[in-house]
Amino acid sequence: MNRIKIIFLFSIVTALVSCSKDDYRFESQNIDPYVRFNFLASSAGVPLEYPAVSTTIQPSASYDNKSVKTLKVPVTLTSTALKSPVVVNFSAATSGDITSFSLEPKTELTFEGTKLTDTIFVSFDRRWADKQSITLKLENASNPDIHIGNLNTYAPNNIFTINLREISTVYTFPVKDLIVKGEIGEKIDFKVNFPNGFIPSEIENASIFKFQNGFEYSLTHDDFGDNRSSITYHLTLLEDIQNDDARYETKINLINIPNYIATGNTSLTIVKPIKSLRDIQANPASKFTDPTNAFYLTYGEHWFDKDGTCTWQTFNALTFPVVVTKDNENAILYSDKGTANPNDDVYHDAFKIGFNVASGTNTVNSFGLKRWFSNESGSAAVSPGFNITSALEFFPENGNSKTQGTVLVIPQDLTIGSNKDNTHIIAISGEGTYKEISNGLYEISFELKLTNDKLFGGTVSTQYRMFNNRVYPKPAALSINCPKEVTL
């Protein structure tokens, strides 16, 4: 009798502390619990990173990796919420050098509660030989009732193979220009982006910049850490450059080094501009933008060659204000977003406008520049210079006129090319006037100069007219020469 009691009590205790397959099963669908690799990639081969999901993309059993950025491989447990943690062990093997990559975690994945996805982070510490591979395999679970892999034989997803393909490591500046106040000790940050990642040991002591210094400064960068997509640099001014009547400019250019190619925006211009007393309430920039319309256009004409004859040729471009912080000297409040919280207020530069796409990776036709070239690429990755986010600066007459003044083409370098292996740095500058020529219709009249020795043999220029409405008087013909289309 006592023996029967002991056995009965042991059975109760065992039932209380152990889990069965039924504890994980979806009752309504009668699905047994299983764990599998859940790596999703778009048709273009771009990984979909957890927690992003897709109902149309099927998990892949392999991936062709062409980047040295950390690759994230999600593993998912199909189950109800877990009453106790589940550990899944995995292994890794490679056809190449085992020290060329590292894993985090190294061998164990953990699932608990409603956290039913864990991720294997694959970091690359050195370059690989072409056609190497890394194979990840789910081995076992801490609870044997959890099935390893899908509940099928045609796509179990218990093994995931990373095929290491040829990589192209490039870098670029995400912006073309920065403004400084000119105070000694002032600090500004900028980034260098690595779209396909970088290997720290290759970059740490490399000289990736060429400098054209117009003032003294020091340059440091953050520790690389786990971020392999960008490096943040810190520039600190070592001299006072606050003469209001002088323009101070420094250029930092990316150069090609072994294994890394400079592409896209390869030049960063840091400027302390001439300071002019201007009343922000004049707000000439607002005459040429409409932030409520993401597809607002300004319209222009430039004096250009057409079939051997100089004529006015039309263009237009999506036009936007330049967003600035509250402490910018030219900041004017655009919107308080209907709240009393000043932290969400939006400020625009009262004197600057720019041209850009509303979204996506294409380009607009700033200054009709696409007509200047016969074989240009419209991709922002190749020709980011077609999007000039800070292009024109206005100087109201007497500092406060709301109807007229002078205009400056903000000097800067543009990168334009036919493909990623054929790009050119083109310097632009120019100046002119603006005026309200009829009620609500404003005209900007200016000369635009383009400089590049290879393309133009130096500097070329032509006349421009731009308007804030598609209906405007046709400019009178000019008796001057005009540029011709060139091949990049």
Side-chain angles (χ1 to χ4, degrees):
M1 181 68 175
N2 290 338
R3 184 171 178 273
I4 294 173
K5 238 181 230 184
I6 292 169
I7 293 172
F8 179 72
L9 289 172
F10 179 77
S11 299
I12 292 175
V13 173
T14 302
L16 289 173
V17 299
S18 64
C19 296
S20 71
K21 188 185 299 183
D22 292 337
D23 291 318
Y24 305 95
R25 180 182 284 125
F26 290 99
E27 294 297 341
S28 61
Q29 303 174 42
N30 197 31
I31 298 175
D32 287 341
Y34 61 94
V35 64
R36 86 285 191 201
F37 288 107
N38 194 28
F39 187 92
L40 306 177
S42 70
S43 57
V46 179
L48 189 69
E49 295 187 359
Y50 177 81
V53 296
S54 172
T55 58
T56 59
I57 302 175
Q58 295 298 314
S60 302
S62 64
Y63 177 67
D64 288 348
N65 185 50
K66 302 176 183 178
S67 165
V68 294
K69 289 194 296 186
T70 298
L71 184 65
K72 302 175 184 178
V73 182
V75 178
T76 299
L77 173 60
T78 300
S79 167
T80 58
L82 301 173
K83 296 179 181 178
S84 58
V86 170
V87 174
V88 173
N89 294 295
F90 68 93
S91 62
T94 180
S95 62
D97 182 358
I98 191 68
T99 66
S100 65
F101 68 96
S102 58
L103 303 176
E104 182 59 41
K106 297 186 183 302
T107 59
E108 290 185 350
L109 299 162
T110 304
F111 308 87
E112 54 188 338
T114 58
K115 176 185 169 293
L116 300 176
T117 293
D118 202 356
T119 302
I120 302 172
F121 294 84
V122 185
S123 298
F124 301 97
D125 305 312
R126 64 181 66 179
R127 289 181 182 263
W128 55 77
D130 192 23
K131 298 183 179 178
Q132 288 183 310
S133 64
I134 300 170
T135 300
L136 304 176
K137 182 180 179 182
L138 301 177
E139 298 288 356
N140 53 69
S142 58
N143 189 298
D145 288 325
I146 295 176
H147 189 269
I148 300 299
N150 280 324
L151 303 177
N152 59 51
T153 57
Y154 59 87
N157 292 119
N158 62 323
I159 295 175
F160 183 73
T161 302
I162 305 167
N163 298 310
L164 301 178
R165 303 306 191 200
E166 182 179 358
I167 57 175
S168 172
T169 39
V170 298
Y171 41 34
T172 185
F173 287 121
V175 299
K176 297 192 296 291
D177 54 84
L178 293 170
I179 304 295
V180 294
K181 297 176 183 178
E183 302 168 352
I184 189 169
E186 180 182 354
K187 298 178 184 294
I188 60 169
D189 293 345
F190 65 88
K191 289 182 179 292
V192 176
N193 284 349
F194 295 76
N196 291 328
F198 67 92
I199 296 175
S201 61
E202 295 178 344
I203 293 295
E204 189 169 14
N205 298 314
S207 298
I208 67 173
F209 297 130
K210 176 182 176 182
F211 302 96
Q212 295 173 259
N213 294 332
F215 49 82
E216 295 295 321
Y217 60 90
S218 65
L219 196 62
T220 59
H221 64 74
D222 284 346
D223 292 336
F224 297 144
D226 295 328
N227 176 23
R228 303 290 177 84
S229 297
S230 66
I231 300 174
T232 298
Y233 288 84
H234 311 283
L235 182 148
T236 303
L237 263 64
L238 299 180
E239 65 172 310
D240 188 88
I241 53 171
Q242 296 188 78
N243 182 350
D244 291 343
D245 297 324
R247 173 186 170 90
Y248 299 85
E249 177 180 291
T250 275
K251 287 187 178 182
I252 301 177
N253 299 297
L254 288 170
I255 60 174
N256 298 334
I257 63 171
N259 294 321
Y260 292 84
I261 303 298
T263 187
N265 286 327
T266 60
S267 181
L268 176 67
T269 302
I270 302 169
V271 172
K272 201 295 292 182
I274 295 173
K275 192 170 183 178
S276 174
L277 292 176
R278 292 175 286 185
D279 182 357
I280 61 170
Q281 298 305 319
N283 199 10
S286 67
K287 307 299 191 297
F288 299 93
T289 61
D290 180 4
T292 65
N293 179 5
F295 301 100
Y296 177 81
L297 297 168
T298 49
Y299 302 84
E301 306 218 10
H302 60 163
W303 189 246
F304 207 81
D305 179 87
K306 183 178 181 180
D307 300 326
T309 302
C310 292
T311 185
W312 288 107
Q313 298 201 54
T314 62
F315 66 92
N316 58 60
L318 293 169
T319 309
F320 297 93
V322 175
V323 177
V324 294
T325 56
K326 180 181 180 179
D327 61 352
N328 186 292
E329 63 180 0
N330 298 327
I332 188 168
L333 180 64
Y334 167 66
S335 173
D336 63 6
K337 294 191 174 181
T339 73
N341 182 3
N343 294 327
D344 65 0
D345 292 349
V346 178
Y347 288 85
H348 292 162
D349 193 305
F351 306 107
K352 293 180 181 178
I353 63 172
F355 312 106
N356 204 353
V357 291
S359 62
T361 59
N362 291 323
T363 53
V364 296
N365 197 14
S366 300
F367 297 137
L369 288 176
K370 293 182 179 180
R371 186 172 285 120
W372 285 71
F373 312 104
S374 63
N375 59 333
E376 75 283 353
S377 169
S379 164
V382 176
S383 300
F386 285 134
N387 296 334
I388 310 177
T389 55
S390 187
L392 292 173
E393 184 168 6
F394 302 95
F395 297 83
E397 189 175 83
N398 299 319
N400 59 6
S401 173
K402 295 187 177 182
T403 59
Q404 62 185 10
T406 58
V407 67
L408 177 73
V409 177
I410 298 172
Q412 57 194 286
D413 291 338
L414 309 180
T415 300
I416 294 173
S418 59
N419 57 62
K420 65 181 181 64
D421 298 318
N422 179 36
T423 60
H424 302 268
I425 303 297
I426 300 168
I428 65 167
S429 61
E431 58 185 347
T433 61
Y434 71 97
K435 185 177 183 180
E436 185 179 28
I437 58 175
S438 64
N439 187 28
L441 178 62
Y442 283 79
E443 177 190 63
I444 308 173
S445 174
F446 62 97
E447 178 187 40
L448 178 68
K449 299 177 182 179
L450 275 66
T451 301
N452 180 282
D453 290 340
K454 182 176 180 180
L455 296 175
F456 310 122
T459 299
V460 291
S461 66
T462 195
Q463 285 292 314
Y464 277 74
R465 307 288 185 268
M466 288 184 63
F467 303 88
N468 63 338
N469 194 296
R470 67 186 304 169
V471 179
Y472 55 84
K474 187 74 174 179
L478 303 176
S479 57
I480 60 173
N481 293 328
C482 59
K484 295 183 178 181
E485 185 181 75
V486 298
T487 300
L488 293 167

